Amino acid sequence: RRTSVSAESMTPSQQGFVKKFVSKTPEQIEGIKKSVGNNFLFKALDEEHAQDVVNAMVEMCVGNGSAIIEQGGVGDFFYVVQTGTFDCFIGQNKVASYTAGGSFGELALMYNAPRAATVVATLDSTLWALDRVTFRTILMENTSRKRKMYESFLEEVALLKSLEDYERHKIADALESVYFNDGEHIVLQGDVGDQFYIIEFGTACVYKQNENGEQQEVNQLERGGYFGALLNDSPRAATVVARGRLKCATLGKKAFTRLLGSVHEILKRNSENYHAIINQQ
Ligand code: 1OR
């Protein structure tokens, strides 16, 4: 059965969840794919679920200055930015801003809570809006699983001590788990790369080359330990090798910066921590 509501129709799925379908031009579909392609919340979706999301999204044009979400309001949609810019305020304080590919408005939908912040367009902008039911049915499971999985773990990581809970959630969204076998090299001294790793379980050995060109073990890292530069773009300062089976959560520096802004600024909130990390680099 397909009931047509102007361009919208609903198709019941097996779970009883009624899939939403809003017809779109090929250009619009292209626009969505571009916008969500860079967004971590959509990464783990299989093809069918990704299609369900595309089908359900509704395009919105918003004028410069208009408040798309009001703090304290009821959560109805989750938003992904296609074009333009947005600022996010808690009370009078600006706490975040968004550009193309950014997303906001997930919290009220995930926790059935009032909107935690106000989000205002700072240019004439376009958004893709995803309704609450589709968000909860398709996107939320993976998002809350990852946030839960990494929540307590990330609290233990010294580097991230100065983050707000919500910022740790954003990191959790972007983390990917990678496994290494005993003896596997994860980063090589002198290589260029900006992937950052946090140890979930296992041991990693850190080696540096001495004047005679020999590898010398300089450190061993365990759960909560981290390696891979976040602060500078210089080549890898050491080689890191798995000792036994090792599981890491990994994130690129670009992703970190895109999610949370300058790493330096965040680390500076906790200056003791900052100096410890700077000296380690
Ligand atoms: P929402 O549905 O509550 C407002 O609607 C949205 O603003 C919220 O989802 C998030 O997507 C977004 N705390 C809470 N919500 C935030 C925050 C935030 N930043 C962006 N949003 N921060 C914590 C402040 C203690 C700011 C962290 C940088």
Side-chain angles (χ1 to χ4, degrees):
R1 188 182 61 102
R2 264 191 142 178
T3 328
S4 198
V5 188
S6 64
E8 274 184 43
S9 70
M10 306 290 224
T11 320
S13 74
Q14 302 97 313
Q15 309 102 315
F17 146 66
V18 179
K19 288 186 185 177
K20 184 167 162 159
F21 181 88
V22 182
S23 64
K24 299 183 177 71
T25 64
E27 291 75 33
Q28 285 178 309
I29 292 171
E30 205 41 47
I32 297 180
K33 292 201 167 145
K34 248 196 208 143
S35 311
V36 305
N38 252 338
N39 192 296
F40 304 104
L41 300 186
F42 295 87
K43 246 194 179 158
L45 291 183
D46 61 31
E47 232 169 78
E48 191 200 337
H49 286 136
Q51 190 59 49
D52 290 343
V53 166
V54 170
N55 288 344
M57 280 181 147
V58 181
E59 187 170 24
M60 288 180 63
C61 299
V62 292
N64 187 355
S66 60
I68 191 80
I69 285 182
E70 307 241 25
Q71 189 175 347
V74 175
D76 42 7
F77 287 95
F78 164 70
Y79 300 95
V80 183
V81 181
Q82 176 165 246
T83 61
T85 52
F86 294 82
D87 280 346
C88 177
F89 297 89
I90 296 182
Q92 303 296 313
N93 298 326
K94 185 171 138 184
V95 294
S97 46
Y98 305 99
T99 56
S103 61
F104 52 83
E106 79 289 5
L107 287 179
L109 307 187
M110 288 175 75
Y111 302 112
N112 286 317
R115 293 295 198 186
T118 294
V119 181
V120 182
T122 49
L123 284 175
D124 290 345
S125 305
T126 54
L127 289 166
W128 289 102
L130 190 68
D131 64 281
R132 174 191 192 92
V133 174
T134 311
F135 176 85
R136 288 185 64 95
T137 313
I138 298 175
L139 277 191
M140 192 173 88
E141 196 179 284
N142 186 51
T143 304
S144 50
R145 185 185 58 81
K146 269 181 113 176
R147 288 186 178 188
K148 267 198 210 109
M149 180 167 79
Y150 287 122
E151 188 175 41
S152 54
F153 167 60
L154 291 179
E155 277 171 19
E156 295 170 29
V157 178
L159 172 74
L160 305 177
K161 279 263 154 66
S162 54
L163 296 187
E164 306 277 355
D165 290 348
Y166 184 70
E167 292 172 317
R168 268 193 292 270
H169 282 151
K170 303 290 280 182
I171 299 267
D173 292 343
L175 288 176
E176 284 173 49
S177 289
V178 277
Y179 291 85
F180 300 96
N181 288 321
D182 184 35
E184 226 179 302
H185 287 55
I186 302 154
V187 304
L188 289 177
Q189 185 172 353
D191 272 6
V192 190
D194 72 353
Q195 205 68 17
F196 175 74
Y197 299 85
I198 310 172
I199 299 177
E200 284 188 59
F201 69 70
T203 305
C205 296
V206 184
Y207 296 91
K208 276 192 182 240
Q209 219 168 33
N210 65 17
E211 313 84 71
N212 307 323
E214 296 154 351
Q215 294 290 331
Q216 263 185 335
E217 186 175 316
V218 293
N219 203 356
Q220 272 199 27
L221 304 168
E222 309 279 348
R223 180 180 166 88
Y226 48 84
F227 55 93
L230 267 181
L231 291 169
N232 53 38
D233 295 315
S234 48
R236 300 292 195 189
T239 293
V240 182
V241 183
R243 170 163 299 168
R245 184 86 167 146
L246 176 71
K247 183 185 185 193
C248 294
T250 182
L251 176 77
K253 179 181 164 189
K254 273 200 212 90
F256 189 103
T257 312
R258 183 148 51 85
L259 287 172
L260 297 180
S262 155
V263 183
H264 278 270
E265 290 308 314
I266 286 166
L267 296 177
K268 271 190 210 147
R269 288 185 205 159
N270 179 341
S271 69
E272 221 174 278
N273 206 358
Y274 182 69
H275 290 297
I277 291 155
I278 290 280
N279 291 332
Q280 187 198 294
Q281 295 273 319

